[in-house]
Amino acid sequence: MPRLDQLLASLGYGSRREVRDWLKAGRVTVRGAAESDPGKKVTAEEVVVDGDPLDHPDGLLLLLHKPLGLVCSHDEREGPNVYSLLPPRWRARNPVVTSIGRLDKDTSGLLLLTDQSALVHRLTSPKHKVPKLYRATLDREPPAGLADLFASGTLQLEGEKAPCAPAELRLTGLREADLVLTEAKYHQVRRMFASQGCTVLTLHRSRFGDLDLGDLAPGEWRELPLDTFGPA
Ligand code: URA
């Protein structure tokens, strides 16, 4: 069982020192009685802070509609990030809330966020071939035969050891296409089109496996059950 101060600090309630001040102030109860011992061993279910049960003690899994202009990196030097959309307490959790894979700054759409590192590893592993649907607009009409090339599993991108896995391309307009990828090489969609002379002007991910954005507006998220992708 974790220590009370460790548990609260890991769930983003504050530094261990701040949490100790909360305990002294009588803001935390354990099994109904005010608790002042930071080293008390507790389970999350028995702890109440300011009258409320603990905030997502078992973990977080969020489906975010990523807006354009935000990065998925935690490094502030790379610019404003998607985590700035989350409540401060979630941003202060340890393990940190991180994205499952990444979308570029200039890509919008469905992005999963979690503090469950096992889930990140599972869903980003090349073994776990989750189909992801991207909608791209292009600067020109794509060359004939592009769908066959993308489906062939032979397209070799510069700097990559292995060719791109077979991907499904559907042209939905003269310069618009849906592309389903089951892997995630760096800037893969943009690089696949660029390798055939097309620049991607806009890129949006509308599906991740069976999940879609529903009616989420850019910048909004919804919570998903932690077992959405099966037991941990
Ligand atoms: N491919 C890209 O080029 N960018 C993304 O954000 C995702 C896939």
Side-chain angles (χ1 to χ4, degrees), residues 103-104 107 134 187-190 203:
L103 291 178
D104 306 335
T107 302
Y134 295 89
H187 288 181
Q188 186 166 347
V189 175
R190 293 175 199 278
L203 187 58

Side-chain angles (χ1 to χ4, degrees), residues 46-76:
E46 36 188 45
V47 181
V48 168
V49 179
D50 292 338
D52 292 322
L54 292 186
D55 185 356
H56 294 80
D58 298 327
L60 280 169
L61 176 60
L62 307 170
L63 187 161
L64 170 73
H65 186 162
K66 178 194 174 296
L68 296 171
L70 298 183
V71 298
C72 294
S73 163
H74 284 91
D75 186 343
E76 302 282 342

Side-chain angles (χ1 to χ4, degrees), residues 128-134 180-183 207-210:
H128 202 98
K129 297 185 170 43
V130 189
K132 282 149 284 195
L133 172 61
Y134 295 89
V180 179
L181 299 186
T182 55
E183 56 182 352
R207 294 191 73 89
F208 185 104
D210 293 335

